[in-house]
Amino acid sequence: MTDDEPAHTPQIPEAVAAPRHRRVLSLVWIVPIVAALVAGWLAVQAFLRQGPTITISFLTAEGLQPGITKLKYKDVEIGTVSALTLSPDRTRVIVTARMQQQASSLLNEDTHFWVVRPRISASSVSGLGTLFSGAYVGVDAGSSAEQRRDFIGLEVPPVVTSGRSGSQYVLKSETLGSLDIGSPVYFRQVQVGQVVAFEIDPDGRGTSVRIFVNAPYDKFVKERSRFWLASGIDASFDAAGFKLNTESLVTVLVGGIAFRTPPESFEQPPAPPSARFDLFPDQSSAERQPDTVVQPAVMVFRESVRGLAVGAPLDFRGIQLGEVKRIEFNYDRSRNQSSIRVHADVYPGRLRSGPPSAPPPADTALIERMIQRGLRAQLRQGNLLTGQLYIALEFVPGRAAAEVSTPKGEILIPTSPSSFTEIQTTLANIAKKLEQFPLDELTRDVRASLHTLSATLTSVDRLAQSADREVAPQLSASLTELRATLATARETLAGARETLAGARDVLAADAPVQAELRDMLREVTRSAEAVRALAETLERQPEALLRGKAVHP
């Protein structure tokens, strides 16, 4: 080997790139991957099923818990309360709820929400099941086509929900009586509905009561149906006597409404929903025929009207021709006289001036003609127990024509003294005449005359004894008849004297009979006042029959 030759180097093998082998996935990772896929699928499904989020405003959040309290429609869960916050003014609680997708169609403009919790009222007990399951939010779906996401919740559950079939009606009344939400509605003493709402009219002149009549009973509500308050115990003492009406024990406690449909109206179609009716204070007022013509009238009495009350009838031979509306005292300074003016409404339509088929008069011409013929108003006793009076309209013979109209357009009905006043006046006149009768002087004159006559008869008798025997028998017989006649006259005069003395004793101011009569009248008056107080107590506190009279501290 020379120096010029390169040194021998060992042969190094050439690197060859070998392909990388793929790693096989371990079985340990299969379970997490499957779980992740399932969770993702469930999340997608939950997102797809998730409905809208709504807010509901309540006065309080009593019984509500986020994540626990449910929203239910017909006892089916359709959402969950997710948060509770206060409103910016801190007067209400804002409940945020996440609804399910299926509940989207229920969130309409007229949908209602309320908290279902145990409630005890005078008319019902509800929500007892929540004592164990907890409170939840009830939902009543509306029928509006407009969607909504912010709602104001009801503080009181609605009496009638949209799922019940029936009809609602509006009743107009001056007062509400003892009605409340849930008070029953009766037809032929069968409960067919209930009161669902009430409010005062915007003008403040009355109230509007909304009732719901369940199907199929709503078909009995016709346009001529009459509704009246059947609240509590309808007890009254008036000129017609004592009246006591009630529908059931429930109406005694919580009140109620009853209605009646005239038999001739059953063939007519039912009244449309939301129809308006008048709500009368009692059954008698409801069943009374409506009066289209009302004529004001005034009557002036010079006697006491104690016992005459507003609403007392004007009776004409058994027909109530009107009723008292106002009683006022009137003093005439120029004449220095006082009187009682009684204002009343007269209904001319209740009188007919022709055959039965003739229509009732549309004006007051008939009443005016009756006054011209001697129609007069007179106070009469309607109820001896209560002392209440009514006004009787009767024809008084011998009365001259009287003035009919007054400056105010009212009919002036002349008056005549009552029968009781006439009797008192007659008795007073008799007593006065008896006091002026010279009974003692007459008795002395009769005694003197009898004494003179007796002396004359004695002289005649002596003369007869000395007369001729033929004349004596005839004269003796005549004298015997004369003595018998005088004896009868004595007995008659004695009886008359005793009768007059007895009448004077009875009619005297300090007579025992007069005192007993006054005591009896006072007892009757006290009894009437006690009965009247009982009626007023029952009217104010109908529950006193069950609980006793309330004692106020």
Side-chain angles (χ1 to χ4, degrees):
M1 173 183 301
T2 61
D3 296 336
D4 295 334
E5 293 180 359
H8 179 72
T9 58
Q11 295 292 330
I12 299 174
E14 184 179 358
V16 179
R20 176 181 291 181
H21 297 285
R22 293 181 178 179
R23 292 184 178 180
V24 178
L25 183 64
S26 175
L27 295 177
V28 177
W29 294 100
I30 294 178
V31 175
I33 293 174
V34 172
L37 294 176
V38 172
W41 182 80
L42 293 177
V44 172
Q45 292 295 324
F47 178 79
L48 294 177
R49 289 197 305 266
Q50 182 177 346
T53 300
I54 64 172
T55 59
I56 311 169
S57 173
F58 290 106
L59 290 177
T60 178
E62 179 185 359
L64 303 181
Q65 298 181 16
I68 299 178
T69 304
K70 306 297 182 182
L71 280 75
K72 295 183 179 181
Y73 174 68
K74 294 185 176 181
D75 287 337
V76 176
E77 183 180 332
I78 59 173
T80 305
V81 174
S82 59
L84 299 174
T85 58
L86 289 175
S87 61
D89 57 0
R90 295 179 296 179
T91 59
R92 303 183 67 88
V93 176
I94 306 300
V95 178
T96 303
R98 186 173 296 277
M99 309 298 292
Q100 298 180 6
Q101 185 65 33
Q102 62 177 352
S104 299
S105 60
L106 303 177
L107 305 177
N108 302 323
E109 181 70 24
D110 52 352
T111 298
H112 299 295
F113 298 84
W114 67 94
V115 179
V116 179
R117 60 171 69 95
R119 300 176 187 269
I120 300 177
S121 63
S123 58
S124 62
V125 178
S126 62
L128 293 182
T130 59
L131 291 174
F132 304 98
S133 61
Y136 63 90
V137 178
V139 182
D140 181 23
S143 58
S144 175
E146 184 177 352
Q147 294 286 312
R148 186 176 180 180
R149 295 295 180 266
D150 298 326
F151 300 90
I152 298 178
L154 303 176
E155 301 303 325
V156 179
V159 178
V160 179
T161 58
S162 59
R164 297 178 60 178
S165 58
S167 301
Q168 291 194 23
Y169 306 98
V170 179
L171 308 181
K172 306 292 291 185
S173 175
E174 293 184 359
T175 59
L176 189 63
S178 57
L179 296 178
D180 198 357
I181 302 296
S183 295
V185 176
Y186 290 94
F187 177 70
R188 299 187 183 276
Q189 294 188 333
V190 176
Q191 183 176 351
V192 298
Q194 54 274 327
V195 176
V196 297
F198 58 83
E199 62 179 358
I200 299 178
D201 294 339
D203 56 4
R205 297 184 178 181
T207 59
S208 297
V209 181
R210 183 173 292 273
I211 65 172
F212 182 86
V213 179
N214 302 318
Y217 305 111
D218 54 347
K219 67 181 180 182
F220 299 125
V221 180
K222 312 292 183 179
E223 292 185 356
R224 296 186 59 189
S225 296
R226 298 297 187 91
F227 294 79
W228 66 87
L229 286 171
S231 303
I233 297 178
D234 183 12
S236 62
F237 291 90
D238 54 19
F242 175 74
K243 296 180 181 179
L244 177 63
N245 295 317
T246 182
E247 290 292 328
S248 67
L249 182 60
V250 177
T251 60
V252 175
L253 300 177
V254 300
I257 296 175
F259 72 93
R260 177 182 177 273
T261 299
E264 62 272 13
S265 301
F266 277 102
E267 301 301 328
Q268 298 178 357
S274 299
R276 294 178 176 270
F277 298 90
D278 290 330
L279 181 60
F280 294 91
D282 50 52
Q283 183 176 358
S284 60
S285 301
E287 294 181 347
R288 189 179 304 159
Q289 290 291 347
D291 298 290
T292 57
V293 179
V294 180
Q295 175 60 49
V298 62
M299 294 153 284
V300 180
F301 292 95
R302 304 291 181 183
E303 55 190 304
S304 174
V305 296
R306 180 181 177 87
L308 185 67
V310 174
L314 271 69
D315 182 89
F316 176 70
R317 298 181 179 179
I319 298 176
Q320 184 174 344
L321 197 58
E323 60 182 7
V324 176
K325 289 299 182 182
R326 189 172 75 256
I327 302 173
E328 59 185 19
F329 176 80
N330 182 56
Y331 179 72
D332 188 353
R333 293 182 178 273
S334 60
R335 300 181 180 179
N336 194 23
Q337 293 180 351
S338 61
S339 60
I340 306 297
R341 300 177 66 90
V342 178
H343 299 264
D345 285 344
V346 179
Y347 310 113
R350 299 184 182 183
L351 294 175
R352 296 183 181 273
S353 57
S357 59
D363 51 28
T364 61
L366 179 59
I367 302 294
E368 295 176 359
R369 290 196 300 269
M370 294 172 65
I371 295 175
Q372 294 293 335
R373 289 177 51 198
L375 184 69
R376 299 295 182 265
Q378 188 180 69
L379 293 174
R380 289 188 181 178
Q381 194 79 26
N383 193 305
L384 182 61
L385 181 62
T386 62
Q388 289 189 331
L389 303 177
Y390 71 97
I391 299 178
L393 302 178
E394 289 290 346
F395 289 102
V396 180
R399 296 290 184 178
E403 182 184 359
V404 175
S405 61
T406 65
K408 295 182 179 180
E410 298 176 318
I411 291 181
L412 179 60
I413 303 179
T415 61
S416 63
S418 63
S419 301
F420 187 72
T421 303
E422 291 179 350
I423 292 174
Q424 287 181 328
T425 304
T426 302
L427 290 176
N429 293 334
I430 293 175
K432 186 176 181 180
K433 290 180 179 180
L434 287 175
E435 290 178 355
Q436 297 176 355
F437 189 76
L439 185 61
D440 295 336
E441 296 179 1
L442 180 62
T443 303
R444 287 195 297 268
D445 293 341
V446 170
R447 285 179 178 178
S449 300
L450 290 176
H451 181 72
T452 303
L453 184 59
S454 178
T456 303
L457 290 175
T458 303
S459 300
V460 172
D461 189 25
R462 292 175 181 176
L463 179 61
Q465 291 178 359
S466 61
D468 187 59
R469 292 181 179 180
E470 295 181 358
V471 180
Q474 298 178 357
L475 184 58
S476 178
S478 299
L479 291 175
T480 301
E481 293 179 358
L482 183 57
R483 289 192 183 95
T485 302
L486 290 175
T488 303
R490 285 194 187 97
E491 294 178 357
T492 302
L493 290 174
R497 182 180 181 184
E498 293 178 358
T499 302
L500 292 175
R504 185 170 57 183
D505 293 339
V506 171
L507 297 175
D510 57 347
V513 176
Q514 293 284 348
E516 293 177 0
L517 181 59
R518 286 192 292 268
D519 292 340
M520 183 187 69
L521 291 177
R522 282 194 292 267
E523 291 295 332
V524 171
T525 302
R526 282 194 290 268
S527 300
E529 292 176 352
V531 174
R532 187 181 296 111
L534 174 61
E536 293 175 354
T537 302
L538 291 178
E539 184 178 356
R540 295 191 305 267
Q541 303 175 1
E543 68 277 7
L545 288 176
L546 302 177
R547 304 178 181 177
K549 184 178 180 181
V551 178
H552 299 284

